[in-house]
């Protein structure tokens, strides 16, 4: 879980909040029709995508495409990225 990694890297606890499906939908509904979405509405849209698993990628397909299209790219996990961010100005 990303929060656990961040807590370990930064050596502190990080607050967690839970939002109900109803609250997510209320937020999205309250901002419908806006020309420019507020940060609150954008967050609610991402939360909706997470709950609905829209951001999930099929593992086997993802690994095949990674090998096909990104064979020479070095990927970092969150721990590596956070550690590098501590050491350099720009990641």
């Amino acid at each position: 879980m990303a929060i656990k990694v961040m807590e370990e890297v930064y050596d502190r606890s990080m607050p967690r909040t839970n939002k109900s499906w109803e609250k997510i939908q209320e937020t999205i509904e309250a901002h419908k029709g806006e020309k420019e979405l507020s940060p609150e509405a954008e967050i609610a849209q991402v939360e909706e995508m997470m709950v609905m698993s829209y951001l999930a990628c099929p593992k086997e397909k993802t690994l095949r495409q990674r090998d096909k299209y990104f064979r020479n790219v070095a990927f970092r996990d969150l721990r590596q990225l956070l550690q590098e961010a501590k050491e350099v100005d720009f990641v």
Side-chain angles (χ1 to χ4, degrees), residues 18-69:
N18 294 310
K19 196 181 292 183
S20 70
W21 174 250
E22 291 77 20
K23 180 64 178 166
I24 294 169
Q25 292 303 300
E26 285 174 18
T27 303
I28 291 171
E29 194 62 36
H31 293 277
K32 273 193 174 169
E34 292 180 352
K35 288 186 177 187
E36 191 169 320
L37 289 178
S38 67
E40 181 184 32
E42 290 176 342
I43 290 169
Q45 287 183 343
V46 171
E47 289 169 334
E48 179 184 49
M49 288 187 280
M50 291 170 61
V51 170
M52 300 298 290
S53 297
Y54 293 151
L55 302 176
C57 300
K59 187 175 182 175
E60 294 304 319
K61 180 178 180 181
T62 302
L63 292 174
R64 269 194 324 272
Q65 289 180 346
R66 179 178 172 174
D67 185 53
K68 181 177 180 178
Y69 300 112

